[in-house]
Amino acid sequence: MIKPEIKVYAIDGIVPVVDPTAYVHPSAILIGDVIIGPGCYIGPCASLRGDFGRLILERGANLQDTCVMHGFPGTDTVVEEDGHIGHGAVLHGCRIGRNALIGMNAVIMDNVVIGEEAIVAASAFVKAGAEIPARVLVAGVPAKVVRPLSEDEIRWKSQGTATYQDLTRRCLATLCETTPLAAVEPGRKRIEMPDVIPLVETRKREG
């Protein structure tokens, strides 16, 4: 089983730090002052450019495919414990609170603080300096607080993050570089994840 090397670059003598229990996809780029904590997941083509400010992912956080983290000199861009950053999001000089979720393609600007267990909707733009309270839904361009979150929504978010923490362990254990098959094999198996369903489907089932 071939385990590809991850792409990690030092700058000005500062070397990224990756906890051994974290998973970083080989196509992701880590530069300079980057600190990846225990159990974190960094997805394909993510860019973490610690060439100006410090970038920190705390325990159990995930940063998914094509996300970007960056910040101005002297700043920390932080995803706190169990933070969940959806595909294509951009974080610049901001702080994402514990167990918060940033939706796909959202942009979080400088000096923003996202409260713990808040959810920022997909494609939202949170303008510089905004302070988002805990446990609210934020959406729009520019983003505004829409309403408080329900306990069910926060539970759904936490379950989704737990799925990515499991993905970290799956990747460390089984993900490897390989070559494609020439044809679909008979009885091709599927990845079985019956407990992972979209929030909209959860609501349908609950009536």
Side-chain angles (χ1 to χ4, degrees):
M1 187 164 65
I2 302 169
K3 292 284 187 183
E5 294 292 324
I6 64 174
K7 293 179 175 64
V8 177
Y9 300 89
I11 190 168
D12 296 337
I14 300 174
V15 179
V17 177
V18 179
D19 187 276
T21 63
Y23 173 78
V24 178
H25 191 275
S27 66
I29 303 290
L30 277 58
I31 299 172
D33 198 359
V34 177
I35 302 170
I36 308 297
C40 290
Y41 172 88
I42 308 299
C45 299
S47 175
L48 294 89
R49 279 183 47 217
D51 48 12
F52 289 1
R54 178 168 293 174
L55 313 180
I56 302 169
L57 276 86
E58 296 183 356
R59 178 183 297 273
N62 69 73
L63 187 82
Q64 298 171 22
D65 322 50
T66 73
C67 287
V68 174
M69 285 184 74
H70 196 242
F72 284 110
T75 65
D76 289 356
T77 304
V78 181
V79 181
E80 294 184 9
E81 185 171 351
D82 294 337
H84 189 109
I85 313 301
H87 316 290
V90 177
L91 309 181
H92 203 279
C94 55
R95 175 173 287 269
I96 310 303
R98 184 189 64 81
N99 203 38
L101 183 152
I102 306 303
M104 293 180 274
N105 290 316
V107 176
I108 316 299
M109 292 298 293
D110 298 280
N111 300 321
V112 168
V113 177
I114 304 293
E116 68 175 44
E117 298 188 323
I119 294 178
V120 176
S123 297
F125 177 84
V126 183
K127 63 184 181 180
E131 294 193 16
I132 305 302
R135 299 168 70 95
V136 296
L137 174 64
V138 174
V141 180
K144 294 181 172 26
V145 175
V146 176
R147 58 173 173 78
L149 291 169
S150 69
E151 291 297 330
D152 283 345
E153 287 168 323
I154 294 170
R155 189 179 308 111
W156 171 82
K157 185 274 161 197
S158 298
Q159 290 168 345
T161 301
T163 299
Y164 267 87
Q165 292 164 350
D166 180 60
L167 178 60
T168 297
R169 295 185 287 270
R170 289 169 58 208
C171 288
L172 289 171
T174 71
L175 191 143
C176 60
E177 193 170 344
T178 188
T179 55
L181 302 174
V184 177
E185 65 272 48
R188 181 177 175 85
K189 66 181 280 190
R190 288 181 177 271
I191 293 175
E192 300 289 344
M193 303 182 72
D195 296 331
V196 180
I197 56 175
L199 182 59
V200 65
E201 186 63 28
T202 301
R203 288 172 172 158
K204 284 182 185 174
R205 293 183 184 186
E206 293 172 349

